[in-house]
Amino acid sequence: MEIKIYKKMTRKVAKYVAELSVLMADSGEKELEVFCIVNNLLKAREGYFFIVSDSHEKIGFGCFAVGLNDSEFKQLQYFAVKSELRGRGLGKRALKTVLQQEVSVSSGCGVACKIGLKSFYEELGFIITLNEGEHIAMRLSSAPLDEWNQVVRITEVNRDEINKNIPLMKAEYGVNLEPV
């Protein structure tokens, strides 16, 4: 599996970020919100977007935010595999490859997800750090939990601001996403 990293939003990258946004809608995320969060992380140089390919076919997309107190720490903001490829273990293999290449074991990686994804992330080595019923936070790190003090970026967007900027995003990046 090959991983391609993008640290800047361009029209070409925007096309793939839009594809991730649509895939994330399957799990209840708002397409335009996902696009804007990834765009904001790239513009602020606080994260990066990645594409995973297998035999030159793009199979999955994701985005990491970098830690505030440790730039080696990664927070997995989004990850999705093309819907027609799901259920074959490709997502797990793809994310395992990304984690091995992009995450420092001592600094680690965090993810917040729905409880239904618990076993997926546990199979990759993540452990639960917070359980809020339907949503959980998990981490992947070799550091003992009491020494693991990563500060994560809270990525939120103002929905009114997003909707107001839809025409600008269409003009700049050529994407057509639904208002939030």
Side-chain angles (χ1 to χ4, degrees), residues 30 33 157-164 180:
K30 304 283 186 205
E33 202 169 284
V157 289
N158 178 313
R159 288 184 175 176
D160 293 334
E161 195 66 30
I162 290 174
N163 288 328
K164 198 166 64 179
V180 290

Side-chain angles (χ1 to χ4, degrees), residues 5 8 10 12 19 21 38 41 51 65 67 78 83 85 96-97 104 118 122 130 137 153 173:
I5 304 293
K8 185 178 177 186
T10 63
K12 177 185 170 186
E19 193 168 344
S21 301
V38 174
L41 286 168
I51 298 174
Y78 302 108
S83 32
L85 300 175
K96 183 177 183 176
T97 302
S104 150
K118 177 180 172 268
E122 282 178 333
L130 181 67
R153 237 170 258 294
Y173 300 121

Side-chain angles (χ1 to χ4, degrees), residues 27-138:
S27 63
E29 299 284 345
K30 304 283 186 205
E31 292 176 20
L32 193 56
E33 202 169 284
V34 171
F35 185 89
C36 287
I37 287 173
V38 174
N39 186 40
N40 291 348
L41 286 168
L42 295 178
K43 279 188 172 183
R45 297 188 175 159
E46 295 174 343
Y48 57 92
F49 177 74
F50 61 89
I51 298 174
V52 182
S53 300
D54 190 26
S55 302
H56 304 291
E57 178 189 359
K58 291 169 181 53
I59 62 165
F61 310 91
C63 177
F64 281 118
V66 295
L68 293 172
N69 63 333
D70 177 357
S71 62
E72 291 297 309
F73 172 75
K74 307 292 188 292
Q75 175 75 19
L76 184 61
Q77 293 295 120
Y78 302 108
F79 177 72
V81 171
K82 289 183 174 181
S83 32
E84 67 272 16
L85 300 175
R86 293 180 186 160
R88 301 182 198 174
L90 283 173
K92 202 171 292 155
R93 237 179 68 218
L95 190 54
K96 183 177 183 176
T97 302
V98 171
L99 293 169
Q100 288 172 338
Q101 290 184 26
E102 296 297 318
V103 174
S104 150
V105 226
S106 57
S107 294
C109 180
V111 65
C113 61
K114 292 183 179 178
I115 193 76
L117 291 170
K118 177 180 172 268
S119 63
F120 174 83
Y121 286 106
E122 282 178 333
E123 288 177 35
L124 291 166
F126 284 81
I127 59 169
I128 293 180
T129 56
L130 181 67
N131 187 337
E132 292 289 324
E134 267 188 56
H135 295 91
I136 55 176
M138 301 181 83

